[in-house]
Amino acid sequence: MRVLILLPPSEGKTAPASGPSLDLDSLLGADRLTAARREVMSALAEVSRSAEGASVLGLGPRSAEHVRTNLELETSPCSPTHQLFTGVLYEAAGLDSIAEEAAGRAALERHCVVLSGLWGILSPTDLVPDHRLSMGTSLPGLGRLPAFWKPHLAPSLTDMAAQGPVVDCRSADYAAAWKPSARDGIEVVSVRVVRTADDGSHKVVSHMAKHARGLLTGELLRAVADGSVPAHVHVDDIATIACHLEGIDDVEVCEPDRQGRRVLTLVTR
């Protein structure tokens, strides 16, 4: 068995100044997904050339200039996904430091998948260029990307997830692109982050949720890499790791719902 961590991408990116050009055949699931990736690339280029490109892609005035990066996908320099994405979750996870050691890099490649509006799924070590496309976008000819990607991603992700528990750290749009189910023999643990209010109630948080999910991702991958978690990882093992995260006061694990999904709730300060 193996744990599989599902991550969203990051709006924050650090574009590489140098690196190899894009090789679609090297990306995760290329045998099943290359044709679909070319469809999205083509539709994205068409939108990005139009006067409405920034609006369709949900980019504000300060970010509108980034549209042109979508016209240079096959010639722009590429960097590993874990270096390209530099948002709150990725900074908290510290994937760069994990990838420095051979065991850590192997853990990234075997136990972590990043969902992407443009590429569908990526390994954290896949080489990709800077780009702008969120999963919530609707592209002419393709429609909303979660609906487009859903039938393409299901075979690959179902195969990967069947080997152990899935720790789902995705946001709503990315979760819609593939919904694992106990009917497929998949054990799913969604990570929820809340803060205890003055009245004792739990309030869902957003910014801190990314940070907490990043911390959990990093610690779980390190535990896998150094062998400190058992080969047959269970939800209780994941909860134990979460209990020791900085800023986490409590951890709750609910019973499976009708779809067989469980929720791991991290209570922050």
Side-chain angles (χ1 to χ4, degrees), residues 56-198:
V56 171
L57 298 176
L59 300 176
R62 294 184 179 181
S63 303
E65 65 183 41
H66 295 303
V67 171
R68 66 173 176 266
T69 63
N70 295 331
L71 301 176
E72 303 167 347
L73 295 175
E74 299 199 60
T75 57
S76 294
C78 295
S79 64
T81 297
H82 67 79
Q83 292 180 359
L84 178 67
F85 295 139
T86 53
V88 173
L89 186 153
Y90 286 83
E91 289 184 357
L95 301 188
D96 285 356
S97 63
I98 294 173
E100 290 176 356
E101 301 292 335
R105 185 178 179 86
L108 285 177
E109 294 175 344
R110 183 171 171 78
H111 298 279
C112 191
V113 171
V114 180
L115 276 287
S116 166
L118 178 51
W119 316 110
I121 53 174
L122 292 168
S123 165
T125 60
D126 279 346
L127 301 175
V128 290
D130 190 19
H131 58 278
R132 292 297 183 277
L133 182 64
S134 68
M135 187 67 84
T137 304
S138 180
L139 291 178
L142 299 185
R144 284 184 54 79
L145 289 173
F148 171 82
W149 278 117
K150 196 169 185 178
H152 295 291
L153 298 184
S156 294
L157 286 174
T158 299
D159 286 350
M160 295 178 200
Q163 301 179 52
V166 173
V167 179
D168 195 346
C169 294
R170 299 174 295 168
S171 50
D173 284 334
Y174 294 91
W178 181 63
K179 296 183 179 180
S181 170
R183 292 190 299 271
D184 299 318
I186 299 171
E187 181 183 9
V188 187
V189 183
S190 297
V191 181
R192 176 173 175 258
V193 184
V194 301
R195 178 180 59 82
T196 303
D198 293 339

Side-chain angles (χ1 to χ4, degrees), residues 212-237:
R213 287 173 181 143
L215 290 177
L216 178 61
T217 296
E219 287 307 304
L220 184 52
L221 287 169
R222 290 184 185 91
V224 168
D226 65 23
S228 59
V229 293
H232 297 280
V233 179
H234 294 288
V235 176
D236 289 345
D237 300 312

Side-chain angles (χ1 to χ4, degrees), residues 16-79:
S18 62
S21 57
L22 178 65
D23 177 7
L24 289 177
D25 290 337
S26 71
L27 302 184
L28 181 65
D31 55 332
R32 288 170 166 163
L33 299 176
T34 295
R37 286 167 174 154
R38 289 199 180 280
E39 284 188 68
V40 179
M41 289 171 64
S42 177
L44 178 59
E46 185 174 346
V47 164
S48 298
R49 292 189 191 98
S50 71
E52 299 80 25
S55 175
V56 171
L57 298 176
L59 300 176
R62 294 184 179 181
S63 303
E65 65 183 41
H66 295 303
V67 171
R68 66 173 176 266
T69 63
N70 295 331
L71 301 176
E72 303 167 347
L73 295 175
E74 299 199 60
T75 57
S76 294
C78 295
S79 64

